[in-house]
Amino acid sequence: MGVEKFHLQSVSVSLWDHVKQANFSSVTEFLLLGFSSLGKIQLILFAIFLCLYMLILSGNITIVSVIRQDPSLHIPMYFFLGILSISETCYTLVILPKMLINLLSLLRTISFINCAVQMFFFLGFAVTNCMLLGVMGYDRYVAICHPLRYPILMCWQVCGQLAAACAGIGFLFSLTGSLLVFELPFCGPNKIDHYFCDISPVIQLACTDTSINELIIFTGGVLALMGPLTFICISYGFIVHTILRIPSAEGKRKAFSTCASHLTVVIVHYGCASFVYLRPSAKYSSSKDRLVTVTYTVVTPLLNPMVYSFRNKDVQMAIRKVIRRVRFYPKAL
């Protein structure tokens, strides 16, 4: 009798395990709450974000086209700027179209697979941007501190390798982070309190202890953000030291002006990203994080063409050349 009772208990435990496993895989889609709590204000947000998205696309596409067509911009500084523009265009393409659709839709669902894909590409391009900003800081360091060795240290082969390394590191971090999130069991709650599949709001829906996964993701976030930022700070330390030794005030002004736009983008990008990702997911705050996330998913990609490029005299002259070429030789383009 005792043996039969033990056998029945074993069978019931086994069945319960199967039920739990079935429940874990029962989530096939998530609901993106986004800005749904704002009611009719969503229509205003749709118009604002649509205009900003058009500006982002047109600005970054213009920068890439101008850099490609004007031979005077075929130097490492603008090569990396073009790569950054392409990366940020893809970065916004992963998030903003879905967000715009959800602002007009009552059905704000995203499939489990699409959520994982969105997170993978979002993190991949985001970390790639961080790495590119670090490389651009190194480029400014070499140009100002070692101008005579610049053609050797920043030859096209090195530039290509650096760009490839940025993308490789970015998507390696992304793959690791996405796997750590989506290997977890999701057994019921499927409402993501965000407008896209970001790490913190998604991992909170898991039906198991996520402390180890969060620790690894947090460590990866620290490396991905603070590594390039530390490199940028060291580079600018040497840059400032070199600029202060320039005798003429005009020379100092020109040297500082080549770095000002890069520093503006770095401060906004790293400031917002650090606020959201350099802390445990348990401290996630939906309302504050949505506001900050909008800054680095919408405002920062807009800063690249408007601040970093359109204020640059070389880019402005190149844009004027392209406009004149279109005006006088429309069939050639």
Side-chain angles (χ1 to χ4, degrees):
M1 189 71 180
V3 174
E4 290 179 356
K5 185 176 180 181
F6 177 78
H7 179 69
L8 287 173
Q9 287 178 342
S10 299
V11 171
S12 64
V13 169
S14 178
L15 287 173
W16 175 242
D17 288 339
H18 283 295
V19 170
K20 286 197 294 182
Q21 291 296 328
N23 285 336
F24 287 165
S25 60
S26 64
V27 174
T28 58
E29 63 181 17
F30 293 102
L31 179 65
L32 294 169
L33 298 181
F35 302 96
S36 58
S37 61
L38 298 179
K40 293 182 179 179
I41 299 177
Q42 291 178 95
L43 295 176
I44 300 174
L45 289 177
F46 173 82
I48 294 172
F49 288 140
L50 180 61
C51 292
L52 291 175
Y53 186 45
M54 292 297 103
L55 287 173
I56 290 168
L57 288 180
S58 59
N60 282 299
I61 290 172
T62 299
I63 293 303
V64 174
S65 302
V66 167
I67 290 173
R68 186 183 175 202
Q69 292 184 26
D70 194 326
S72 66
L73 300 182
H74 293 177
I75 59 176
M77 174 182 174
Y78 296 110
F79 168 75
F80 290 118
L81 179 58
I83 298 295
L84 181 64
S85 293
I86 293 172
S87 180
E88 288 193 330
T89 301
C90 298
Y91 170 74
T92 55
L93 190 64
V94 173
I95 300 170
L96 294 187
K98 180 65 175 176
M99 182 186 76
L100 290 170
I101 292 171
N102 288 345
L103 284 170
L104 297 179
S105 175
L106 294 176
L107 189 64
R108 300 179 174 89
T109 58
I110 183 171
S111 69
F112 188 90
I113 297 297
N114 286 342
C115 187
V117 170
Q118 186 184 59
M119 182 181 292
F120 170 73
F121 282 106
F122 162 71
L123 292 176
F125 288 117
V127 178
T128 298
N129 291 345
C130 290
M131 299 296 163
L132 283 170
L133 289 171
V135 169
M136 291 168 79
Y138 172 71
D139 172 71
R140 292 298 82 208
Y141 158 74
V142 176
I144 293 173
C145 300
H146 303 282
L148 298 178
R149 299 176 61 196
Y150 185 78
I152 299 173
L153 294 176
M154 297 301 293
C155 65
W156 287 115
Q157 183 180 1
V158 172
C159 290
Q161 291 171 348
L162 288 172
C166 289
I169 293 172
F171 282 94
L172 180 62
F173 270 92
S174 172
L175 179 62
T176 304
S178 300
L179 288 176
L180 285 169
V181 173
F182 288 96
E183 73 170 2
L184 296 168
F186 294 89
C187 58
N190 69 334
K191 294 182 179 179
I192 300 175
D193 196 8
H194 212 344
Y195 59 87
F196 71 98
C197 292
D198 204 357
I199 289 178
S200 295
V202 173
I203 203 169
Q204 288 186 342
L205 301 179
C207 299
T208 186
D209 179 33
T210 61
S211 56
I212 300 298
N213 301 61
E214 287 186 45
L215 178 61
I216 297 173
I217 291 170
F218 176 75
T219 304
V222 171
L223 292 174
L225 287 170
M226 298 309 296
L229 183 58
T230 302
F231 188 75
I232 290 170
C233 291
I234 294 172
S235 297
Y236 273 100
F238 286 110
I239 288 171
V240 171
H241 178 71
T242 302
I243 290 175
L244 291 177
R245 294 168 59 187
I246 297 175
S248 68
E250 182 64 19
K252 291 179 181 178
R253 188 191 64 79
K254 287 183 179 179
F256 273 120
S257 66
T258 63
C259 304
S261 298
H262 178 250
L263 279 175
T264 303
V265 176
V266 166
I267 290 169
V268 175
H269 182 89
Y270 280 97
C272 297
S274 299
F275 177 85
V276 176
Y277 295 107
L278 295 187
R279 58 180 177 163
S281 295
K283 294 185 178 181
Y284 170 74
S285 172
S286 59
S287 57
K288 290 181 180 179
D289 282 16
R290 269 200 301 267
L291 180 62
V292 177
T293 307
V294 165
T295 303
Y296 73 79
T297 56
V298 179
V299 177
T300 303
L302 192 60
L303 279 177
N304 182 38
M306 295 192 70
V307 175
Y308 199 96
S309 304
F310 291 155
R311 292 183 60 188
N312 185 293
K313 291 182 180 179
D314 293 335
V315 176
Q316 289 175 357
M317 290 177 62
I319 291 174
R320 291 192 192 102
K321 289 179 185 176
V322 172
I323 292 173
R324 285 196 217 102
R325 199 180 307 166
V326 172
R327 183 179 299 170
F328 292 105
Y329 305 102
K331 292 183 179 179
L333 297 174

